[in-house]
Amino acid sequence: MSSQDIPEETLPAAHGDAHGAVATADDPFADPGLPPHEHRKQDIDERAAQRSERVVAFLFTLSMLATVGFIAAYVSLPVDKSIYVFPIGHISALNFALGLTLGVALFCIGAGAVHWARTLMSDVEHADERHPIEASPEVKAKVLADFKAGAEESTFGRRKLLRNTMFGALALVPLSGVMLLRDLGPLPGTKLRKTAWSEGKMLINQNTLQPLRPEDVQVGSLTFAMPEGMSEEDHDFQKEIAKAALMIVRLRPENIKDKKSLDWSADGIVAYSKICTHVGCPISLYEQQTHHVLCPCHQSTFDLSDGGRVIFGPAGHALPQLRIKVNDKGYLEAMGDFSEPVGPAYWERG
């Protein structure tokens, strides 16, 4: 059956609205207008309105409690703890708690706002004609007037319990995101200032795992060393070697330009950190004739004959030097830790 075959008496009629028009067989899609407005229970019963207000306030308060629970779970629950949740199975207790509390916090804010709008704010529908994109002064004045009317009809100023609990929920929920900044890592404290080197520890060749003698290091050669007592089987070996990795070069004493470097050397053997001071890459390229070492990552270049200073590239400071000597048994040993923290600069570094 086509739309033209629909009897006129079955088509919707206007309800007295200014936009309403009677639908006919010739124009079955005429604007029927808006139905008469039906008042909600909250519009005519203040006790019902107060009940809705308490429901919304409860949802906002529950959101605040869930946010506090999120922060408490983030701080107190260990990362490796797991729990059984039916029907999911064994999952991380921390992830489950964070997801549950954050979900409740966000849901309650949304549910409270929706319930507020549907039960307490004005629900009178207004039809408006289409207008040009550019607003006229009259339209602007009307928008401001409508905004003021909407603010009054929302009961935002009158119902202080709703307003205050909403502000509380909106103020607390961002703390969930702030707490996630903790995952940037714990503050380094003084851990980055110290390495496994200390006074009396012999220099161990990383290839042969044997203590180094001065005669083992030839002029112009590059040797990598680690502290005595460190083993690749140690559970924290990678973490410690990342700070303690050492490169040893033997120069002729007359070629060492920096007095401190000469004083801290042993028979012309200088020991510097192998960790680049730009982003921490291991340095392994050595130019025998110039005594320069090159970082393969970003081409920072250091002069080992002049205190390990930067002569090219983005590195911000010289390579830290390790003071060494020859002990009574004829082996090379450290006289302490590096002169300064190894690797890139960091914000706590003084």
Side-chain angles (χ1 to χ4, degrees):
M1 179 183 292
S2 67
S3 59
Q4 293 181 350
D5 298 330
I6 301 175
E8 292 185 20
E9 57 270 17
T10 62
L11 295 173
H15 294 274
D17 187 83
H19 300 280
V22 177
T24 64
D26 295 332
D27 187 11
F29 300 106
D31 182 4
L34 297 175
H37 176 67
E38 295 182 4
H39 292 287
R40 300 164 302 183
K41 187 175 182 180
Q42 290 82 359
D43 297 331
I44 58 179
D45 186 352
E46 179 59 24
R47 287 184 300 178
Q50 290 177 354
R51 285 195 296 270
S52 295
E53 180 181 6
R54 288 192 291 268
V55 170
V56 176
F58 170 76
L59 289 171
F60 288 156
T61 303
L62 186 58
S63 173
M64 289 188 281
L65 295 176
T67 300
V68 173
F70 178 95
I71 297 173
Y74 190 86
V75 172
S76 61
L77 292 180
V79 178
D80 56 352
K81 181 178 178 60
S82 63
I83 59 174
Y84 180 81
V85 178
F86 178 83
I88 303 174
H90 289 279
I91 60 174
S92 169
L94 178 61
N95 289 346
F96 179 76
L98 295 182
L100 180 63
T101 52
L102 184 58
V104 170
L106 296 177
F107 173 80
C108 288
I109 289 179
V114 170
H115 192 67
W116 184 355
R118 291 181 63 86
T119 60
L120 295 174
M121 294 184 182
S122 174
D123 69 335
V124 178
E125 297 182 1
H126 299 277
D128 200 0
E129 297 289 350
R130 294 182 180 272
H131 54 81
I133 296 178
E134 183 180 2
S136 63
E138 293 79 9
V139 172
K140 293 180 180 178
K142 182 178 182 301
V143 170
L144 291 177
D146 291 344
F147 177 80
K148 292 180 180 179
E152 294 177 358
E153 293 173 353
S154 69
T155 69
F156 188 79
R158 182 162 60 91
R159 301 189 184 276
K160 296 182 179 180
L161 179 60
L162 288 182
R163 181 183 60 196
N164 295 339
T165 52
M166 183 192 71
F167 284 156
L170 293 177
L172 282 181
V173 75
L175 293 179
S176 302
V178 174
M179 290 299 296
L180 295 178
L181 296 177
R182 179 188 174 193
D183 280 343
L184 292 176
L187 297 178
T190 60
K191 292 188 297 184
L192 299 180
R193 299 177 181 272
K194 302 175 181 178
T195 72
W197 290 105
S198 61
E199 184 176 1
K201 284 196 173 183
M202 291 189 294
L203 279 60
I204 305 299
N205 189 313
Q206 274 196 262
N207 294 323
T208 64
L209 301 181
Q210 298 298 318
L212 283 167
R213 296 177 179 272
E215 54 268 25
D216 296 332
V217 185
Q218 303 299 319
V219 175
S221 65
L222 177 66
T223 305
F224 299 122
M226 63 182 184
E228 176 188 8
M230 184 177 291
S231 171
E232 294 184 2
E233 297 179 357
D234 296 339
H235 74 279
D236 60 346
F237 174 79
Q238 296 299 333
K239 181 177 68 175
E240 293 300 327
I241 198 63
K243 296 185 295 181
L246 192 70
M247 57 181 176
I248 303 169
V249 174
R250 187 165 197 166
L251 308 175
R252 300 187 186 280
E254 60 270 16
N255 290 334
I256 301 178
K257 307 172 186 177
D258 183 68
K259 184 178 185 302
K260 176 184 174 182
S261 297
L262 181 61
D263 294 339
W264 283 28
S265 66
D267 296 336
I269 300 174
V270 291
Y272 288 94
S273 170
K274 186 183 176 183
I275 309 304
C276 179
T277 58
H278 177 218
V279 292
C281 295
I283 299 172
S284 58
L285 304 177
Y286 175 59
E287 297 178 351
Q288 187 182 59
Q289 301 301 319
T290 61
H291 313 303
H292 296 167
V293 287
L294 178 71
C295 175
C297 292
H298 304 97
Q299 287 71 56
S300 292
T301 306
F302 306 86
D303 188 353
L304 299 187
S305 67
D306 193 11
R309 69 181 181 90
V310 183
I311 60 175
F312 179 79
H317 53 277
L319 293 173
Q321 185 176 1
L322 184 71
R323 189 174 185 180
I324 60 175
K325 69 175 184 178
V326 180
N327 63 17
D328 297 339
K329 297 180 180 180
Y331 294 106
L332 294 172
E333 71 174 32
M335 298 180 66
D337 205 344
F338 284 104
S339 57
E340 59 186 30
V342 302
Y346 50 94
W347 71 276
E348 273 195 336
R349 184 171 177 173

